[in-house]
Structures are given as structure tokens and as C-alpha cells.
Amino acid sequence: MSPTEGIPEVVAAPKAQVAVAATEEVALDSKVAQKVVSQVKHYFSDANLNHDVFMRKGVSENDGWVQFSTLIRFNKLRQLVGVPTDAKDSDDSKKNSGKRGAKGASARPAPIAQKFVDLLAATVKAGVSAEDAVEVNETAIRRKDAYVESDAWFSRTVHVKGLPYGEERAGEIEELTAFFAQHGDVALLRLRRNPKTKAFKGNVLVEFASAEQAEAVAKMEDLVFEGHKLAPALLSAYHDEKMATGDYMHPELRKPGETYKTYEEWCLANGRKASPLPGAAGSKGKKSAAEKKEFEVVPGMLVKFTGVEGEIGIKELKKAFAAAGDVKFVDMETGASEGIVRFKEAIAAQVIETHADGLAVEDSSMVLKLAAVDEDAEKAFYERAKAASDSFNTRNNNNNNGKRSGRQDGGGQRRSKRFRN
């Protein structure tokens, strides 16, 4: 069973496949049990611990023992063991529901029934042998050898582009792992995500057992997964390319031992307003309406489209482009056959490459042709968009100063329909 990572955060847990003996002892189906044991072993592997801060902390405490009651809360194990997603809160949790303490702590999560903890423990104990790198007792599991941090993973990792942005389905990680396992021994496969929306960015990081295997895959020009042509590159090369162009270096791409600018520092150095990423200091403070609507100019977000026919609306166009990425604005005059879409991330080049044959519009025979936006058109777009944003902010501030709320009176100004969030 290949190691997996990147399970969606919210997934309805299926009913566990269990076998019930005459003694009423419950056990998982053999195939499911094998997946559970393999997944637990993966959590304690060097490949996972190199990136998993939570598990690194776990194996460094309590003489390395990690309780099964902790592991059962991991999304992948919850799904496999069959823990229901609608478990009732404890009495204390119900009392605290909707309340926050002085430090902003939220209500405690719903408890997981002990039978699921016991089922996980029994499954792992039955599946772990003396030859494995982990050992178990009645309530916990640990590595036999202490974890030693290593930087070797960086040279063994391939960055792969070309999968659809925002499209992720159950089991895709396993399928991708099996796909790359045809070309080498996969130690770890990670999905890259939008740090704000958590949407899958269409890029993956594949760590192989050796640098030689990674180098061989990085040179492949004919990698195709389910109709999508993939673009592999050694992570070290991709890292250096982004450094050369001055792009922000996301944590999962960083070279071990190197020092990088924080997102706020990078924004300031590039003349952009710093908008803290989730988890960063100051990222949870409330923003004024004007701050939320402040316009940001980022190269590489715009795609020109042509081929619009009939009376198609902005809503339908946004829905079509949502298959390629998170859409911020659509700019198109009423009755026009072309326009410009602005994405929330700088993925224009990737979108154009992925949809080289056109982007189909649902429930119609229309196929939009996509192209890059030249410098003059990009400048004009941002000038129009900023004017619309400034106008909105001015009206909003005026309304706030006058303590107005609700809809404006008849004849009141409205935000331009050309720029829809």
C-alpha cells in the first residue's frame, strides 16, 4: 500500500466495512484493515515526519508513544474506520456551543466513541509484525528508532504541474501515487493547495526513494494522467526558477536550511499590500469593508477569452472558468463576443496551457478560446477594475458615515456589472 497525503478536510465518512463474529467482536474488512495499518505506518515514516509538524511533536513526547485516541481523529483514519461525521457533542461541548472564551478558544470538538478507538487499536495490533519499524501496546504506537531529521527529501522530489485547478476527488491521491509508482518507488505524494481557500492548485510534489529516480521522472516529456499532460521538474530546479523571477516562495517549496522572506516581507519588498496568509500573525483581525474591497494588482492573473455566442451571462461564464481556477472578476461588455477573466491567483499561463483546445461552457455547444493578455490590455483592465473598486469604497464609506443600511433608494448608484466578484 503506497503512502498517501492530502485527504480533503471535509469528507463524509462512509459506513465502515466490518465483520461481526458470534462473540460480537467487530473487525474491519481485510482490505480496509490493510489500508488502515499502511496509513498508520506512513504517519510514523521518515518521509511523513519530514513535513508533518504535528506528528514530529507527537513522536518527541511521551517516549515516542502516540495514543490511538489521537490517531483516530486524523481524517483519513476516520474515513477508513467509519467514524460518523455527525457525532453528537458532549454535554460540555453543547454548553459551550457558540461561545468563546477570553482568549477566543472555540468549543471542544465532538468526542469519538471508544469503540472506534478500540477498533483502530485492534486493527493496527493485528497488522503490525516484528519486522516493522513500529511497535504497539494496548493503547498506543511508536517508532522503534528515534526520528532523525534529514534534508535528503529535497533532492528526491519532483514538482509536477498540469492537473485541473480546484478538482479533487476521493481516492485521487492513491491513484496519483499508483501512477507515479510505475516510474519509481514513491515515498510521499503531496497535493499543493491554495493557502487561503485550501483548493487543490493542480500541482503535486512527488518524493521518490532516490535522487536518480526523481531525475529520470523530471526528464519525462510524455507523462499523461487521465488525459492531462503533466509537466515534471526537479523541485530544486523549480525552486531556483521561482527564486530567479522573485516569486513568493511557499513553505512546501523551500529548500531546507535556507532563509526566506515571510509573505508580509515579500509583499512589502514588491510594492504590494501585505494580506497575511491563514495562520500568520495578525491574519484573523477584522477588516473594514473598504479594506476588504481594496484592489490588488498581480501579474499573471488575466486570461482573454473569445468565442462567446448568444445571450450568455456573467454567471455562466464564471461557472465555466471555475473549472480552471478561483475566479475574481469577469470583464465583458453586454453582447460582446470576447472578454477578460481575472483569477484569484497567478495561474493564467497554466490555465491557457491546460485548455489549449478551448474551455467548454456547460449546457451549451460553446467552446471559449483562451489567450494571454498583452501588457496594454492588462493595464487597461486594472485601471477599469480599480476605478470600479474605488467607486464602491467611496459609496460604502459614505453610507457608513451617514449610517445608511439596506438597499439604496431608487436611482442609487450600483457597482458596475462588468466586474463581478
Side-chain angles (χ1 to χ4, degrees), residues 338-415:
E338 63 181 45
I340 293 176
V341 57
R342 180 199 177 194
F343 290 95
K344 293 182 179 180
E345 286 195 299
I347 59 172
Q350 179 180 334
V351 170
I352 294 170
E353 181 181 356
T354 302
H355 299 278
D357 297 327
L359 179 71
V361 178
E362 189 176 346
D363 298 327
S364 76
S365 59
M366 193 183 310
V367 177
L368 303 177
K369 295 297 182 182
L370 310 184
V373 177
D374 61 46
E375 186 176 349
D376 290 339
E378 184 177 54
K379 181 179 179 181
F381 174 90
Y382 280 124
E383 287 176 349
R384 294 194 303 272
K386 189 176 187 305
S389 180
D390 290 345
S391 176
F392 176 85
N393 290 340
T394 299
R395 292 196 306 274
N396 186 73
N397 289 337
N398 289 340
N399 288 346
N400 288 340
N401 293 336
K403 296 182 179 180
R404 295 175 61 186
S405 61
R407 292 188 59 183
Q408 295 181 342
D409 295 334
Q413 247 184 329
R414 295 182 182 273
R415 193 178 186 186

Side-chain angles (χ1 to χ4, degrees), residues 130-145:
E131 291 75 29
D132 287 321
V134 292
E135 58 184 349
V136 299
N137 62 24
E138 292 301 314
T139 61
I141 179 173
R142 71 175 178 181
R143 288 170 57 107
K144 291 179 179 177
D145 298 324

Side-chain angles (χ1 to χ4, degrees), residues 153-161 180 188 190 204-208 210-211 213-219 223 231-236 238:
W153 65 269
F154 191 80
S155 62
R156 300 196 302 252
T157 299
V158 177
H159 183 277
V160 183
K161 300 191 294 184
F180 285 104
L188 182 70
R190 292 179 288 154
V204 297
L205 294 168
V206 189
E207 180 186 343
F208 290 93
S210 69
Q213 291 179 348
E215 291 169 2
V217 172
K219 293 177 181 178
L223 277 178
L234 283 175
L235 175 57
S236 56
Y238 185 72

Side-chain angles (χ1 to χ4, degrees), residues 59-310:
V59 299
S60 68
E61 300 174 344
N62 302 317
D63 202 21
W65 292 103
V66 178
Q67 298 294 312
F68 287 115
S69 58
T70 297
L71 295 176
I72 194 62
R73 292 193 174 279
F74 292 9
N75 282 339
K76 181 63 174 179
L77 293 179
R78 287 176 65 110
Q79 296 169 47
L80 290 172
V81 176
V83 178
T85 58
D86 57 350
K88 299 297 183 181
D89 289 352
S90 66
D91 291 339
D92 288 340
S93 294
K94 291 177 180 179
K95 292 177 182 178
N96 293 330
S97 178
K99 298 180 181 180
R100 303 184 69 85
K103 295 185 179 180
S106 58
R108 70 180 66 176
I112 294 177
Q114 185 61 37
K115 65 179 181 180
F116 293 111
V117 180
D118 295 340
L119 180 57
L120 174 62
T123 301
V124 174
K125 282 190 288 185
V128 169
S129 68
E131 291 75 29
D132 287 321
V134 292
E135 58 184 349
V136 299
N137 62 24
E138 292 301 314
T139 61
I141 179 173
R142 71 175 178 181
R143 288 170 57 107
K144 291 179 179 177
D145 298 324
Y147 165 68
V148 178
E149 188 172 359
S150 170
D151 298 340
W153 65 269
F154 191 80
S155 62
R156 300 196 302 252
T157 299
V158 177
H159 183 277
V160 183
K161 300 191 294 184
L163 295 167
Y165 184 101
E167 294 184 18
E168 180 183 354
R169 64 179 184 273
E172 186 168 15
I173 297 296
E174 289 86 348
E175 293 170 9
L176 282 167
T177 300
F179 172 79
F180 285 104
Q182 300 174 88
H183 309 290
D185 300 318
V186 177
L188 182 70
L189 188 144
R190 292 179 288 154
L191 297 182
R192 292 196 61 205
R193 297 183 182 278
N194 181 313
K196 292 185 178 180
T197 66
K198 303 304 179 185
F200 174 41
K201 299 177 72 170
N203 304 336
V204 297
L205 294 168
V206 189
E207 180 186 343
F208 290 93
S210 69
E212 291 74 20
Q213 291 179 348
E215 291 169 2
V217 172
K219 293 177 181 178
M220 292 182 176
E221 299 180 353
D222 56 352
L223 277 178
V224 179
F225 178 77
E226 296 189 348
H228 302 290
K229 191 175 188 306
L230 305 181
L234 283 175
L235 175 57
S236 56
Y238 185 72
H239 167 277
D240 293 346
E241 178 184 337
K242 289 184 72 66
M243 287 294 289
T245 56
D247 291 344
Y248 171 67
M249 193 64 63
H250 287 276
E252 68 271 20
L253 304 177
R254 295 177 180 177
K255 187 176 182 179
E258 297 291 329
T259 302
Y260 299 87
K261 289 183 175 68
T262 65
Y263 184 67
E264 291 75 14
E265 291 170 342
W266 179 84
C267 286
L268 292 174
N270 288 274
R272 295 176 54 183
K273 179 178 175 61
S275 176
L277 294 174
S283 64
K284 296 184 179 181
K286 292 185 178 180
K287 297 181 180 179
S288 66
E291 288 177 321
K292 290 179 180 178
K293 296 296 180 181
E294 183 166 346
F295 201 83
E296 185 176 30
V297 178
V298 181
M301 289 185 168
L302 305 184
V303 173
K304 179 180 179 180
F305 59 90
T306 58
V308 178
E309 302 173 353

